[in-house]
């Protein structure tokens, strides 16, 4: 970039360009993936589901090529309007371009209206402006008001768009036999002799890009107030940050169409073309927003002492948090309530909730020439958002752990097997994601794992050596709370994508009610919705020695 100064203005113009080339090899389930309903079937070598993808060419491990040019240019001005007021404003433009297109599959265009060889070429404008005003300088107590608003764009993980190169429906064949207790697929131990035909001809999986797809963009603004508190050298800050999604990723499986409704009100699906596996479209959504407030009191380092304490509260919603590495897994791993192809904006996986942090550095007096310093870091925050999903396919989309469980309010709404209604009722009442949504399907991420508290300590002693070098002895203790009490400092997380939940048993033909299988949650081995992170829940300590010259 180039910068020049003219009076109170500092102008900058520049360009930021990235040129990337990827050679990617990813063949999911190349050596076969089997699933067995029980140990007896495993011993007998007969599986209840099978998946395998293999090349349609003589190159059994063919890689695909992706070239991306991310072109960007910008211009801006930093204007010192007065001794108290500074304004910044500018404009950025980005023009991402993909290289040679994937192969053309006529079937995709004729049946679903999207060509595999048509790539987007968006032009993204990003205006931005900011202000910094210091109204308190004349009073002798420093303070400032700062803020800004703008559009911010960036490139996605390029694997998002690389999926379209790997899955044109021509390069590979993807076998997929969904799980069913009646399936009996012979297990083949040789990874190089896996079946190429299971229950019928091999099927295609197709990924397509919306020709109008835009890389991620959001509108973001903030306003903050910083002030010297005039007590013990403390400063205080308060900030509000607000973001609105303009363009984010959205995934739709074009090969699954709604055909009716389940007893709990969710849409049920069947394939549009039974000869195809999945046809996943990557497009955009403008749904999603985030806001956060943060308050901080701090004492900058002075005479070896520093202190900081902050509180953050945020809310964030999104349509998808891209929970996977392939287009199909990002579509099929998202917990859904009613419509798998048009999920609403809901609580994001990455919403922090509430967070409290405290840091402190305190010097400790030692013998002559030696110095000691004690550092503490405390973090307390809300647990991870999560959803309670069925173990089973409740909507016919071919996925077993993405359907958020209906939370019945009375025993006449469902049929319970493998347990009693009282056990199911107690489980749903105790679970944070379902207890406030009885009689309905809870929204995505309606629950949270337990609050987490952690405290880390570091003590450093600096020893003189009489020369320019000196030695440092250090002691680090992570999770001091667990050291003080073995029941403290535990970290829990929800068991995502786990079969350890309510089993979906289908719909009873006589009554039209959902069948709930409670064998898992009523078993003596059931540990609950949350899993304790064994490593992070333990205290750890280390000694260190460093010689500095």
């Amino acid at each position: 970039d180039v910068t020049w100064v003219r009076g109170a203005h500092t102008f900058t113009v520049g360009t930021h360009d990235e040129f990337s080339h990827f050679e990617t090899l990813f063949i999911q389930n190349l050596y076969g993936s089997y699933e067995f309903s029980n140990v007896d079937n495993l011993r007998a070598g007969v599986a209840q589901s099978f998946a395998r993808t293999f090349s349609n060419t003589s190159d059994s491990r063919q890689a695909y090529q992706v070239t991306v040019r991310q072109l960007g240019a910008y211009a801006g001005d930093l204007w010192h309007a007065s001794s108290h007021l500074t304004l910044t404003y500018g404009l950025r433009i980005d023009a991402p371009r993909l290289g040679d297109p994937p192969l053309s599959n006529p079937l995709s265009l004729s049946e679903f209206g999207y060509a595999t060889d048509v790539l987007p070429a968006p032009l993204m404008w990003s205006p931005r402006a900011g202000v910094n005003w210091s109204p308190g300088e004349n009073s002798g107590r420093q303070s400032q008001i700062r803020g800004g608003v703008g559009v911010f764009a960036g490139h996605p993980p390029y694997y998002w768009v690389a999926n379209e190169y790997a899955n044109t429906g021509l390069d590979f064949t993807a076998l997929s036999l969904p799980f069913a207790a009646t399936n009996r697929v012979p297990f083949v131990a040789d990874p190089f002799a896996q079946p190429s035909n299971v229950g019928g001809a091999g099927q295609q999986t197709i990924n397509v890009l919306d020709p109008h797809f835009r890389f991620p963009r959001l509108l973001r603004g903030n306003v903050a107030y910083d002030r010297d508190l005039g007590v013990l050298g403390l400063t205080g800050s308060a900030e509000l940050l607000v973001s609105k999604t303009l363009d984010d990723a959205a995934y739709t499986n074009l090969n699954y169409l709604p055909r009716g409704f389940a007893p709990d009100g969710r849409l049920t699906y069947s394939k549009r073309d039974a000869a195809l596996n999945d046809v996943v479209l990557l497009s955009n959504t403008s749904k999603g927003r985030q806001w956060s407030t943060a308050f901080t009191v701090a004492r900058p380092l002075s005479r070896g002492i520093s202190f900081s304490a902050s509180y953050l509260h945020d809310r964030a919603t999104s349509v998808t948090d891209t929970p996977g590495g392939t287009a199909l897994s990002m579509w099929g791993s998202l917990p859904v309530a009613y419509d798998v192809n048009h999920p609403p904006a809901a609580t994001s996986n990455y919403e922090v909730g509430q967070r409290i942090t405290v840091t402190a550095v305190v010097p400790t007096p030692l013998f002559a020439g030696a110095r000691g310093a004690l550092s503490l870091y405390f973090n307390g925050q809300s647990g991870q958002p999560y959803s309670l999903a069925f173990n089973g396919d409740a909507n016919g989309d071919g996925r077993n752990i993405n359907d958020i469980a209906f939370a019945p309010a009375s025993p006449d709404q469902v049929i319970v097997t493998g347990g009693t209604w009282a056990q199911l009722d107690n489980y749903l009442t105790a679970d944070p994601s379902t207890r406030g949504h009885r009689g309905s399907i809870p929204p995505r991420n309606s629950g949270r794992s337990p609050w987490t508290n952690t405290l880390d300590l570091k003590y450093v002693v600096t020893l003189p050596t009489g020369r320019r070098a000196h030695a440092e002895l250090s002691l680090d203790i992570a999770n001091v709370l667990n050291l003080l009490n073995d029941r403290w400092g535990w970290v829990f997380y929800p068991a995502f994508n786990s079969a350890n939940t309510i089993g979906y048993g289908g719909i009873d033909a006589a009554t039209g009610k959902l069948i709930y299988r409670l064998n898992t949650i009523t078993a003596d081995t059931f540990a609950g919705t949350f899993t304790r992170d064994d490593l992070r829940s333990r205290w750890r300590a280390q000694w260190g020695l460093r010689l500095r010259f």
Side-chain angles (χ1 to χ4, degrees):
D1 54 30
V2 177
T3 300
W4 71 97
V5 178
R6 289 292 183 270
H9 296 270
T10 302
F11 299 101
T12 300
V13 296
T15 179
H16 180 95
D17 309 290
E18 299 178 10
F19 302 90
S20 306
H21 178 77
F22 308 95
E23 181 175 293
T24 304
L25 174 66
F26 178 77
I27 308 177
Q28 195 167 26
N29 303 317
L30 173 64
Y31 301 119
S33 175
Y34 299 82
E35 185 177 355
F36 302 85
S37 60
N38 53 56
V39 176
D40 291 335
N41 284 336
L42 176 63
R43 289 195 184 101
V46 288
Q48 283 59 65
S49 76
F50 176 75
R52 183 196 173 206
T53 302
F54 56 90
S55 172
N56 293 331
T57 71
S58 58
D59 182 3
S60 63
R61 296 176 62 83
Q62 63 172 322
Y64 52 92
Q65 315 289 324
V66 182
T67 299
V68 183
R69 300 187 303 275
Q70 178 84 4
L71 308 177
Y74 50 87
D77 176 24
L78 175 65
W79 178 24
H80 296 283
S82 71
S83 60
H84 302 288
L85 179 65
T86 301
L87 301 173
T88 58
Y89 42 88
L91 178 66
R92 180 186 176 100
I93 182 171
D94 290 284
R97 295 294 182 265
L98 299 170
D100 295 335
L103 297 177
S104 173
N105 187 340
L107 176 64
S108 175
L109 181 61
S110 62
E111 191 163 348
F112 299 97
Y114 289 93
T116 59
D117 60 341
V118 175
L119 298 175
L123 198 61
M124 301 183 296
W125 299 84
S126 302
R128 302 167 192 173
V131 61
N132 189 301
W133 179 40
S134 302
E137 289 186 355
N138 292 335
S139 65
R141 180 174 296 180
Q142 293 184 343
S143 65
Q144 69 173 358
I145 297 173
R146 51 187 170 85
V149 64
V151 175
F152 297 86
H155 62 72
Y158 286 129
Y159 202 74
W160 288 6
V161 296
N163 281 286
E164 281 60 42
Y165 286 78
N167 293 311
T168 63
L170 301 176
D171 306 84
F172 300 95
T173 293
L175 296 178
S176 178
L177 183 67
F179 183 91
T182 56
N183 289 339
R184 300 186 68 80
V185 181
F187 172 70
V188 179
D190 185 351
F192 302 104
Q194 293 300 301
S196 298
N197 189 315
V198 174
Q203 297 176 310
Q204 301 178 21
T205 295
I206 301 174
N207 290 166
V208 288
L209 264 171
D210 186 334
H212 304 293
F213 178 75
R214 301 172 71 90
F215 284 16
R217 292 190 313 149
L218 60 82
L219 174 65
R220 171 168 289 174
N222 80 305
V223 60
Y225 180 60
D226 308 314
R227 183 177 179 84
D228 179 358
L229 300 180
V231 179
L232 301 177
L234 295 175
T235 62
S237 298
E239 182 171 10
L240 171 66
L241 177 70
V242 180
S243 301
K244 172 68 177 70
T245 297
L246 299 178
D247 294 297
D248 201 358
Y251 290 89
T252 305
N253 197 325
L254 303 176
N255 202 32
Y256 279 91
L257 299 179
R259 301 300 187 189
F261 294 91
D264 56 10
R266 78 180 75 226
L267 287 171
T268 57
Y269 297 84
S270 63
K271 283 188 175 182
R272 175 176 180 171
D273 187 339
L276 295 174
N277 281 329
D278 299 277
V279 180
V280 182
L281 168 69
L282 172 57
S283 59
N284 288 122
T285 178
S286 60
K287 298 177 182 177
R289 61 183 68 243
Q290 182 265 345
W291 63 263
S292 66
T293 56
F295 304 91
T296 303
V297 175
R299 183 184 189 276
L301 184 65
S302 176
R303 297 181 180 178
I305 299 176
S306 69
F307 170 81
S308 174
S310 65
Y311 169 77
L312 174 94
H313 185 198
D314 88 329
R315 287 289 181 265
T317 63
S318 64
V319 170
T320 175
D321 293 305
T322 56
T326 67
L328 184 57
S329 63
M330 285 187 275
W331 171 79
S333 299
L334 181 71
V336 291
Y338 295 99
D339 189 343
V340 70
N341 276 326
H342 300 91
T347 299
S348 169
N349 291 347
Y350 305 109
E351 180 184 277
V352 175
Q354 300 185 72
R355 183 180 184 186
I356 299 171
T357 60
V358 178
T359 62
V361 177
V362 181
T364 58
L366 295 174
F367 53 86
R371 306 188 308 274
L374 176 66
S375 303
L376 297 171
Y377 173 76
F378 169 79
N379 182 78
Q381 69 179 64
S382 305
Q384 290 178 283
Y386 76 97
S387 300
L388 184 65
F390 280 125
N391 175 18
D393 186 3
N395 63 356
D397 65 355
R399 302 303 180 274
N400 286 328
I401 49 177
N402 69 332
D403 299 320
I404 301 175
F406 171 74
S410 58
D412 60 308
Q413 292 182 306
V414 296
I415 295 175
V416 176
T417 64
T420 66
W421 163 255
Q423 289 174 309
L424 175 62
D425 184 48
N426 291 337
Y427 177 68
L428 297 177
T429 301
D431 191 279
S433 72
T434 55
R435 60 188 173 209
H437 302 278
R438 303 297 295 272
S440 65
I441 303 175
R444 176 167 60 93
N445 286 343
S446 57
R448 280 189 179 275
S449 56
W451 180 279
T452 297
N453 291 313
T454 58
L455 176 64
D456 299 335
L457 174 150
K458 183 181 183 73
Y459 187 66
V460 178
V461 176
T462 303
L463 301 173
T465 62
R467 298 183 179 181
R468 297 180 61 182
H470 60 272
E472 288 183 354
L473 295 174
S474 62
L475 170 63
D476 293 88
I477 304 178
N479 201 353
V480 176
L481 297 177
N482 187 248
L483 175 63
L484 300 176
N485 187 316
D486 61 7
R487 305 292 294 181
W488 294 352
W490 285 10
V491 178
F492 291 90
Y493 62 90
F496 295 112
N497 297 334
S498 171
N500 200 23
T501 182
I502 298 172
Y504 175 75
I507 301 173
D508 181 69
T511 63
K513 297 179 181 179
L514 297 177
I515 300 174
Y516 282 50
R517 294 174 176 166
L518 306 188
N519 307 68
T520 302
I521 67 172
T522 58
D524 294 336
T525 56
F526 181 61
T529 303
F530 308 110
T531 300
R532 182 165 64 96
D533 188 317
D534 187 67
L535 179 61
R536 290 198 296 158
S537 297
R538 296 174 180 266
W539 68 270
R540 289 96 64 200
Q542 69 176 16
W543 292 97
L545 170 62
R546 175 185 294 175
L547 298 177
R548 307 188 68 169
F549 300 90

